[in-house]
Amino acid sequence: MTEIKITTMDTELEFAVPPKTKGRDLFMQISRNLGLRETWFFGLMYRGPNNEQIWFDSSKKSVADIKFSARNLKYRVKYYPEDIGLELIEDTTIRYFYLQVRSTILSDEIYCPPETSVLLASYAAQERHGDYNPKVHQNGIFKKEKLLPERVFQQHTMSRELWEESVLKMWQKHTGMLTEDAMTEYLKLAQNLEMFGVSYFEIFNKKGTQLLLGVSALGLNIYKVEDRLNPIIAFPWSEISNINFKGIKFTIRPTDRESKMFVFFANDAFVNKHILNLSIGNHSMYVRRRKKDSLEVQQMKAKATEQRKFKLEQRSKLLHEMLAREQAEKRENDYQKQIQVLKEEIERRDASLMEAQRTIQQLQDQLRELQIAKEKLELQQNELRDMMERLTHSRNLEEEERRKLEEEIKLKQAQVQKIQDEVEARNAETRLLQQKIEEANRREEQMRAEQEALNLQNERNKEELETVPDGTNVELPSLVEINEQLKDDLMLLQQQLEQTRLESKQTELDKIHRENVASGRDKYKTLNAIRKGNTVRRVDMFENM
């Protein structure tokens, strides 16, 4: 038995198989173990002595043909689709694509501009953590994650915290998005990157000019060595009828009979073998896409559509329940706040009532004092009357006694006047206090009525805490609106990046990307432009470079 170790993007597998086991059988066994049915996108590869990528040709070899040093195989995406959204069917396939593409972006094997890196990171956060929840996802949630390519951090003066805030802000816009949809959106964005799905090889033409050949799902592209973003010549698979090599010479026969052979050279025949393997596979995939789906693919698509519908229904139900629970919690919090406000209002009104009671008690005390003063005044007045009567009846008294009595009368009159003044002052105070009492009584009656109303409202609130209103709107914003919002976020982020960019840290690809943006070029505009004209002209252009 031969021991074979297989490494995927998220796990390791070990197989013990007979040496005569066909490579194809081994590949299919691995695919079944991984739950992958869209096997046409994948392949087995290993690293050569110079760390070059070597694809194991499972259609022609058996396990015995695998060198001992190459028995650590990697299960990887070999062929990329033209359109992620239309071609990838099953969730497992999407996940393996996502893991591999994300790894190549974070390791900078695929150039990704900073602002797009942040947007991709927001979808990665949705895939890993689900909907953003401020109660669960606290600051530092990305601390142990590889969030962005290291190049991006080094090229700007922004702190990691500011980068994380930018990711977090965009992540919040993905609420309600399924994990599979988050991965798909990630891949759709990545598909727009110029280096997505392109395998580059060093070649030269008949003049010896050093160039790069890019093999992709769309065809063969020629690049300048210093620019892997903008191809300068393109040959779609539809224009290629035959490909072959001999030694370091690689020959391509165009479908245009008037065109001569497209010939280039590699530094090693082994490189040409690798180019041939990828070209044949991509060309086959190109043709396959333009044929009617096989019964197996039709069944897979139907099942995937059914599963997606079920997941969306479950997701919608879950979101409805979550929203209802959140609204119930919010209503309960609001009621608790209302109750607290009511308690504070009751305490304030109790204090007012106590103050009113103190005022009433003070008034009652003053009334008693007034009554005593009145009685004292009446007594003094009676004594004065008696003295006046005595004065009247004492006309015959001696002069000395009369003078003495008159002095007593004057003194008594002064006392009476003083007491009378005090009584009038107390009467004024009593009238004022009486008004206060009347006002206090009115306030007390008003507060009693308000208290009863508040108690009634409080009872109603307690009853409503137990239910949530029917007909709660749980409709989520459309994906188009979310994308529009993300565009605004991206624009703000780009402005911030312009201010924090370190020019000394910019790579050639960064500069090329900025030139593309400034001139309005993108991946597909460039490809459309360089495909214009016939094959003859493009072959001549290549040879004359």
Side-chain angles (χ1 to χ4, degrees):
M1 303 292 282
T2 302
E3 297 288 337
I4 302 292
K5 184 178 181 181
I6 305 296
T7 304
T8 70
M9 294 303 301
D10 62 352
T11 188
E12 288 186 356
L13 303 172
E14 292 186 358
F15 293 87
V17 295
K20 293 184 179 180
T21 302
K22 296 295 184 183
R24 182 64 181 172
D25 295 335
L26 173 64
F27 174 75
M28 295 305 294
Q29 183 180 351
I30 297 169
S31 300
R32 284 192 296 272
N33 273 271
L34 296 175
L36 279 164
R37 297 177 63 193
E38 295 171 81
T39 56
W40 46 88
F41 290 115
F42 299 89
L44 298 174
M45 54 82 66
Y46 59 93
R47 294 289 178 180
N50 297 320
N51 200 38
E52 70 273 23
Q53 193 178 68
I54 303 173
W55 290 101
F56 175 67
D57 190 352
S58 58
S59 64
K60 298 180 180 179
K61 293 184 178 182
S62 64
V63 173
D65 296 323
I66 304 176
K67 295 180 181 179
F68 180 78
S69 61
R71 287 180 183 170
N72 289 337
L73 297 173
K74 299 180 185 297
Y75 192 97
R76 294 289 187 270
V77 174
K78 185 177 183 180
Y79 304 112
Y80 287 79
E82 293 179 40
D83 190 323
I84 289 286
L86 295 178
E87 294 182 50
L88 300 188
I89 303 171
E90 297 191 329
D91 294 343
T92 306
T93 307
I94 293 172
R95 176 166 179 76
Y96 274 94
F97 263 86
Y98 165 77
L99 291 174
Q100 184 165 329
V101 171
R102 182 165 183 258
S103 175
T104 55
I105 289 176
L106 292 177
S107 63
D108 239 359
E109 293 177 47
I110 295 178
Y111 173 79
C112 183
E115 63 275 11
T116 306
S117 298
V118 172
L119 181 54
L120 291 176
S122 71
Y123 284 110
Q126 180 71 16
E127 180 274 330
R128 181 166 184 173
H129 302 287
D131 289 347
Y132 172 74
N133 185 341
K135 296 179 181 178
V136 178
H137 305 126
Q138 303 294 334
N139 292 336
I141 186 174
F142 302 125
K143 188 174 182 180
K144 296 182 179 179
E145 297 182 22
K146 188 169 176 59
L147 193 64
L148 303 169
E150 192 60 32
R151 163 184 55 85
V152 174
F153 289 116
Q154 295 174 354
Q155 291 177 332
H156 298 83
T157 58
M158 287 173 58
S159 65
R160 182 178 175 90
E161 288 72 22
L162 288 177
W163 286 109
E164 290 181 1
E165 286 178 11
S166 298
V167 174
L168 195 67
K169 185 178 180 181
M170 294 186 188
W171 176 20
Q172 295 176 32
K173 306 290 179 65
H174 305 323
T175 297
M177 185 177 291
L178 295 173
T179 299
E180 294 75 18
D181 289 344
M183 291 189 290
T184 301
E185 291 302 315
Y186 185 104
L187 291 171
K188 285 180 179 178
L189 282 173
Q191 182 177 270
N192 291 331
L193 299 175
E194 290 86 349
M195 294 176 66
F196 176 86
V198 181
S199 297
Y200 296 91
F201 301 93
E202 294 180 358
I203 62 169
F204 55 92
N205 61 9
K206 293 177 180 179
K207 288 186 174 183
T209 305
Q210 296 294 322
L211 299 163
L212 290 176
L213 173 73
V215 183
S216 72
L218 301 172
L220 300 176
N221 298 327
I222 306 299
Y223 299 79
K224 292 181 179 180
V225 174
E226 67 275 10
D227 183 0
R228 296 191 176 212
L229 301 185
N230 300 314
I232 50 179
I233 302 175
F235 297 96
W237 293 120
S238 59
E239 296 182 6
I240 298 174
S241 64
N242 184 268
I243 48 180
N244 210 335
F245 78 94
K246 184 176 182 180
I248 64 171
K249 181 181 179 180
F250 201 102
T251 305
I252 298 175
R253 179 183 299 159
T255 55
D256 187 349
R257 295 182 178 275
E258 297 182 1
S259 175
K260 54 187 172 182
M261 294 288 190
F262 170 39
V263 178
F264 62 81
F265 301 88
N267 295 320
D268 193 311
F270 182 78
V271 174
N272 275 343
K273 183 178 180 181
H274 192 24
I275 294 173
L276 179 66
N277 180 276
L278 283 177
S279 296
I280 291 175
N282 274 295
H283 187 275
S284 175
M285 292 283 290
Y286 183 86
V287 174
R288 172 181 178 146
R289 292 184 193 102
R290 284 146 183 83
K291 293 181 178 179
K292 184 179 179 180
D293 289 336
S294 65
L295 180 60
E296 178 189 11
V297 172
Q298 292 179 36
Q299 291 173 344
M300 289 170 63
K301 286 184 176 180
K303 184 178 179 181
T305 301
E306 184 179 344
Q307 289 178 341
R308 175 171 174 75
K309 181 181 178 182
F310 176 77
K311 286 182 179 180
L312 287 173
E313 290 174 352
Q314 293 299 311
R315 179 69 173 178
S316 177
K317 182 179 178 181
L318 177 62
L319 287 174
H320 176 82
E321 293 174 352
M322 288 174 60
L323 184 58
R325 183 167 61 252
E326 288 175 1
Q327 290 186 341
E329 291 175 354
K330 183 178 182 300
R331 288 174 64 85
E332 184 174 358
N333 290 334
D334 291 342
Y335 291 148
Q336 292 296 337
K337 291 178 181 178
Q338 290 178 12
I339 291 171
Q340 183 61 33
V341 170
L342 290 174
K343 287 181 179 179
E344 293 174 356
E345 181 66 17
I346 290 171
E347 291 174 357
R348 186 183 63 79
R349 295 187 179 190
D350 286 344
S352 298
L353 286 173
M354 291 179 66
E355 180 65 27
Q357 289 173 355
R358 283 195 295 270
T359 302
I360 292 171
Q361 183 62 42
Q362 181 182 1
L363 178 59
Q364 289 174 346
D365 293 340
Q366 289 185 0
L367 286 173
R368 281 194 297 271
E369 293 176 359
L370 178 62
Q371 185 63 32
I372 293 172
K374 285 182 177 180
E375 291 174 357
K376 186 177 179 181
L377 175 61
E378 185 178 354
L379 179 61
Q380 294 293 333
Q381 287 174 340
N382 290 336
E383 291 179 358
L384 180 60
R385 280 196 302 272
D386 291 341
M387 294 176 70
M388 292 296 293
E389 289 176 0
R390 284 169 56 195
L391 180 62
T392 304
H393 291 91
S394 61
R395 299 287 184 185
N396 300 322
L397 292 178
E398 294 180 359
E399 186 67 24
E400 182 68 23
E401 291 179 350
R402 185 180 296 112
R403 191 168 51 252
K404 184 177 180 181
L405 182 59
E406 289 176 351
E407 289 176 357
E408 290 179 358
I409 290 173
K410 289 179 180 179
L411 180 61
K412 182 61 67 176
Q413 286 176 336
Q415 291 177 349
V416 169
Q417 185 62 44
K418 181 179 179 181
I419 292 172
Q420 191 167 358
D421 291 342
E422 290 179 358
V423 169
E424 290 178 359
R426 290 182 181 276
N427 274 331
E429 291 179 1
T430 300
R431 286 194 295 273
L432 181 61
L433 282 173
Q434 188 65 38
Q435 292 175 359
K436 290 184 178 180
I437 287 177
E438 292 175 358
E439 179 64 24
N441 287 335
R442 284 196 299 272
R443 287 173 57 193
E444 184 177 8
E445 185 63 29
Q446 181 182 358
M447 284 190 288
R448 187 178 293 109
E450 291 179 356
Q451 184 64 44
E452 292 177 358
L454 287 172
N455 290 338
L456 180 60
Q457 181 64 32
N458 193 20
E459 290 299 321
R460 290 177 179 173
N461 287 344
K462 288 180 179 178
E463 293 176 1
E464 291 177 359
L465 281 174
E466 300 176 0
T467 60
V468 178
D470 294 332
T472 302
N473 183 11
V474 296
E475 186 178 356
L476 296 174
S478 66
L479 191 61
V480 173
E481 292 176 354
I482 292 175
N483 283 338
E484 288 301 320
Q485 294 170 3
L486 288 173
K487 286 180 181 178
D488 293 338
D489 292 339
L490 279 175
M491 187 176 298
L492 292 174
L493 178 59
Q494 285 172 337
Q495 294 173 359
Q496 189 176 10
L497 293 177
E498 286 291 328
Q499 298 172 356
T500 60
R501 186 171 62 226
L502 295 172
E503 290 297 337
S504 61
K505 298 289 186 179
Q506 300 299 298
T507 66
E508 286 300 317
L509 292 182
D510 288 307
K511 296 174 183 178
I512 293 170
H513 169 72
R514 290 209 302 274
E515 290 175 2
N516 286 347
V517 173
S519 60
R521 290 197 302 267
D522 59 37
K523 173 181 177 177
Y524 299 105
K525 286 182 180 179
T526 300
L527 287 174
N528 284 328
I530 64 175
R531 286 185 175 190
K532 292 179 179 178
N534 56 32
T535 310
V536 176
R537 186 184 67 85
R538 278 180 271 131
V539 171
D540 290 340
M541 184 187 301
F542 173 75
E543 291 183 348
N544 291 323
M545 291 181 68

